[in-house]
């Protein structure tokens, strides 16, 4: 079973300044319309070529819209040697249902 972090717990860590690396693996269109505060945008399809942008010794939280793209990204990271991969429970859908704040561009 994958390790998860709840949206409220992740937001509490963001607010406390102790957030892990947060990676949004959705499309640019989705990302610009709203994402978890402080999230880095690395689309799932580009992650295999961009794993060096993340530290394999620190926790990484992945999310997408509903889950499948994040699970693909997690497999990529684990194959690249990452051991502390977590998923945002319920992904962006649950974040929004909880009414938590987002950052957006556009």
């Amino acid at each position: 079973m994958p390790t998860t972090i709840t949206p409220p717990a992740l937001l509490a860590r963001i607010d406390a300044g102790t957030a892990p690396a947060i990676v949004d693996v959705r499309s640019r269109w989705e990302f610009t319309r709203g994402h978890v505060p402080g999230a880095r945008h690395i689309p799932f399809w580009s992650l295999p070529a961009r794993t060096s942008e993340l530290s394999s010794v620190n926790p990484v939280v992945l999310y997408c819209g509903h889950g499948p793209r994040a699970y693909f990204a997690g497999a990529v990271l684990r194959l690249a040697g990452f051991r502390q991969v977590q998923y945002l429970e319920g992904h962006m859908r649950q974040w929004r249902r909880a009414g938590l704040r987002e950052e957006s561009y556009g």
Side-chain angles (χ1 to χ4, degrees):
M1 180 137 221
T3 302
T4 61
I5 184 169
T6 66
L10 182 57
L11 184 58
R13 292 202 52 199
I14 292 166
D15 289 343
T18 61
I22 304 166
V23 180
D24 184 321
V25 300
R26 300 175 301 155
S27 70
R28 174 158 300 286
W29 184 87
E30 291 169 296
F31 182 79
T32 59
R33 280 151 184 75
H35 55 271
V36 172
R40 177 181 301 186
H41 182 236
I42 304 177
F44 80 97
W45 54 267
S46 70
L47 191 59
R50 296 178 63 185
T51 58
S52 64
E53 295 178 28
L54 302 168
S55 170
S56 64
V57 297
N58 295 322
V60 176
V61 173
L62 300 168
Y63 73 91
C64 63
H66 307 283
R69 294 173 286 182
Y71 297 129
F72 170 83
V76 167
L77 290 181
R78 283 189 299 279
L79 285 171
F82 288 73
R83 297 291 170 246
Q84 297 184 61
V85 176
Q86 295 182 306
Y87 301 95
L88 177 62
E89 187 176 288
H91 301 274
M92 197 64 190
R93 178 175 41 183
Q94 190 167 323
W95 187 274
R96 287 185 169 145
R97 282 186 182 159
L100 302 177
R101 75 175 184 278
E102 300 178 29
E103 292 179 340
S104 61
Y105 307 110

